[in-house]
Amino acid sequence: MSDQRVIIVGGGLAGITAALDCARAGAEVTLLESRGRLGGAAYSFQRDGLWADNGQHVFLRCCTEYQRLVHELGADAMVTIQPRLDIAVLSPGGRRGRLRRSALPAPLQLAGALARYPYLNVRERLALTAAMTALRFVDPDDPANDRRSFGDWLRRWRQDRRAVEAIWDLIVRPTINLTSDEASLAQAALVFRLGLLERTDAGDIGHAVVPLSQIHDVAGRAALARAGVDVRLRTAAAAIVPDHDGFTVRLAGGTALRAGQVIVAVPHDRAGALLPDGAHGDRDAWQRLGSSPIVNVHVVYDRPVLEFPFAAGIDSPVQWVFDRTASSGLTNGQYLVVSLSAADDELGVPSEQLRERYLSALAELLPAAGEATVRTCFVTRDHAATFRAAPGQRALRPGTATALPGLVLAGAWTDTGWPATMEGAVRSGHAASERVVARLHDGDSAWRARRSAGDARVTVLTPMGLEALAVRRGAPGADVRRTGMGPKRAAQYALSHDHSDATAVVIAGFCGALDQTLRPGDIVLASELRGAGETVACADPTILAGLLRRGGLRVTVAPIACEPNLVTGPRRRRLAQSGAAAVDLESAWLAPSAGGRPLHALRVVLDTPSRELRNPITSATGTAVAYRSLRRAASLLQEWAAMLGDRELVLASPRASCAGVQRAIEIVERAIEQYGAPVYVRRQIVHNAHVVDSLRQRGAVFVQEVDEVPRGATVVFSAHGVSPAVRRNADARELTVIDATCPLVAKVHAEARRFAAGGFDIVLVGHDGHEEIEGTVGEAPERTTVIASREEVARLEVSDPEHVAYLTQTTLAVDETASVVSALRTRFPTAVGPPSEDICYATQNRQTAVRALAGRCDVVLVVGSENSSNSRRLVEVAQRAGCRSLLVEDASQLRADALAGARRIGISAGASAPEELVSQLVAALGGLGVATVSEESVAEENMHFKLPPEVR
């Protein structure tokens, strides 16, 4: 269709997901959100100086789409997930149980924990096992099962009240927000099947380690801005009116917007009022979906009272309790939140009564709580946290389509099949955007060709029939070749087969672990194959490893040894000393059949040095675990295949670390050598996670403020500079200060002092909150105003319009800054600036180089961290030049959609990113096909800055 504009109403997870999808497909997207934040029902707020979430929104490892969204938002470090499911279950009097899974294949992973579970007797455990087995065969998509109560089904399977309380409601209540008696059988069956009955690790619990709004709002807005989405907060849609070629969205303020398509991503109780007549015949029925509340009791103690990150309660009013100390900002004591799902009974209870009830209950569950002092206790209530997934409700949940083409629904309440979870919301966003994008490109054969992976073919070589079966089950339709087991058959296969017509060749199968840290089911991707009388280099597996890890698999990249016979005992130990992580019987002998195409070896650990195949039980268990892991890996190979292809890589020059960054890093390294670890560094020395992690491993300790540095210790100020107040604080603490401020930033500080001394009002062009801006403002806080856009110039208030000076952040985009400065000079003709431009030479050179790439490349990849201003500006420069561009932390972050349709890829890196990350990205792209590399040079850099005297 000709109108590429898409309006998305609602800035929850569904709306964010749909907006990113549509923007990636080339749409011009506007996102409307009535509130002043994004995130919908999963957000944070501040109270009494602490950050609190409106609910304890956890996710499971099987929630793959939510994890994918978190990654796309650049928020991987803001969440964590258990290595394996582990739930402490507490009861009054100090009795404790533990639901901790093993590595056994599902559904046996909880067998050991249930056998030891103290809240069920032997008869109840046997009945539970029978019910769990039967639940595997309940079809969640059968309407008859949706019309039936889960509680009725449990009673049929002889589950007494104790079993329901101790196991079934423990899981159903927080996931569906109803009790077992109230919940639909189909919905409950889906929860148990996805979380516990089909995949060993699917139920591992993840949660945010920061306030939720840092992920869904702050990181969400940043990601949407990078994607070019126009986000309008505090902008409510009042009505949607169809016309001959699209829709008009009338806003609450009286204005209107036009678009070819609209996605309505608001709760069900609001969606019906927005839709025009005739859009959906069942919208009145949506009100019957109802709502289910959640109540949270927030308690701050003066000391730690809970030793677990979270725990469940039994024989107690407490359902679940979470430790939110770290994310709240609390520096001493402990902040706990009691989360009450399906809280209809608590909804109308006065807060004082709830406080009394749950403080008493916590004291009974946690002995230390009875001795602790309660500093703060408050209650939050969400009256309509979710829709009610009660029997028969599935029939009321609409799909994404409406009767009006181009008008689409999204939200966790739509028919995703999932309960009202963050995962369900994200999946609904994908479903909605898929419908919009398909219509957007209807008739565009070139776009369909770019989206298809038909020109990429992966040939998978599997020695054994069981391995071939696992791959075919995981990737139906894959080109799987059975080669035969052992080196002799592998060598014969290679002599008679040439796969040079494939895009890539993958040797897939089982292996034995040499590395003691590996366990059955772990994936080993070969960096090289050692055997058959030689060492064979494999294609770089970084991108494949990242994809597998995001899919929930444990992955190691290391050499694989190839031996002619099974290896056990002493021989296995000797091989381990060689540095190889695993051993197999075929890969090196199969390698010649790749015919020069990129070769990968993907092996799944079957046995380990401590649990060798000679033990029959170990053999059976390891085989089952390895089979499931290989099948899962094969399913992810299909996404990887979409990235394959021969490409041209064009490197921007200059790129990566500038002289100021290199100087700052060298200062920390020399400080550690001369003064010894630890050396404290205020804030990140430069904005790059890899650099910071490397220095941390050498002995650097990164702190937010100098107050955290022990008195008399050594502290390094970062390259972004600090304010005079920070320097005074350091002097007061008698710290040995080493200043790594970039000389070009120090120049801006000097200019700020000069202008302030001259009585000028200073306008500082930059991003408020950036460390460089904070430091510069600190030179003259009473005289400095920070702006970021030309629109802000008109709102500036100064004491004397004839006495205005301006400065700029050194890492801004040159073209954007020129526009702001032009507006300043128009309003204040006598405004004075610095003698020379503040934007540093490295920033200008890298932006010029990226602009040159944008005109000849399909996509520009910029290596840099999310908090790197200069890296983000490079992405924006490429996008303004009309080229798709993405910021990547490293090669492991690349996804299929990043490379869709791209045959010529431009590569640059922010001034804070080391060159080695660029080299790694080039090597990783070479792992997807033959890559030819060239360089686009626009300038030479020979700048060098002296080190401070403390480290010379």
Side-chain angles (χ1 to χ4, degrees), residues 41 92 146 232 342 359 477 704 710 716 750 761 766 815 838:
D146 184 61
R232 304 190 186 188
L359 288 175
Q704 280 295 105
V716 178
D761 283 336
D815 50 357
D838 288 337

Side-chain angles (χ1 to χ4, degrees), residues 14 146 187 263-273 275 279-290 387-388 392-404 407-419 424-425 427-429 431-432 435:
D146 184 61
Q187 198 76 102
I263 296 175
V264 178
V266 298
H268 65 277
D269 55 350
R270 289 179 51 208
L275 264 57
H280 206 290
D282 295 332
R283 59 180 176 171
D284 292 338
W286 300 345
Q287 300 303 317
R288 299 203 301 274
L289 283 170
F387 69 88
R388 296 183 73 83
Q393 298 294 72
R394 177 77 180 267
L396 302 177
R397 297 173 69 179
T400 58
T402 69
L404 300 179
L407 183 59
V408 181
L409 301 175
W413 60 280
T414 60
D415 192 11
T416 64
W418 281 67
R427 285 174 179 260
S428 78
R435 183 172 293 276

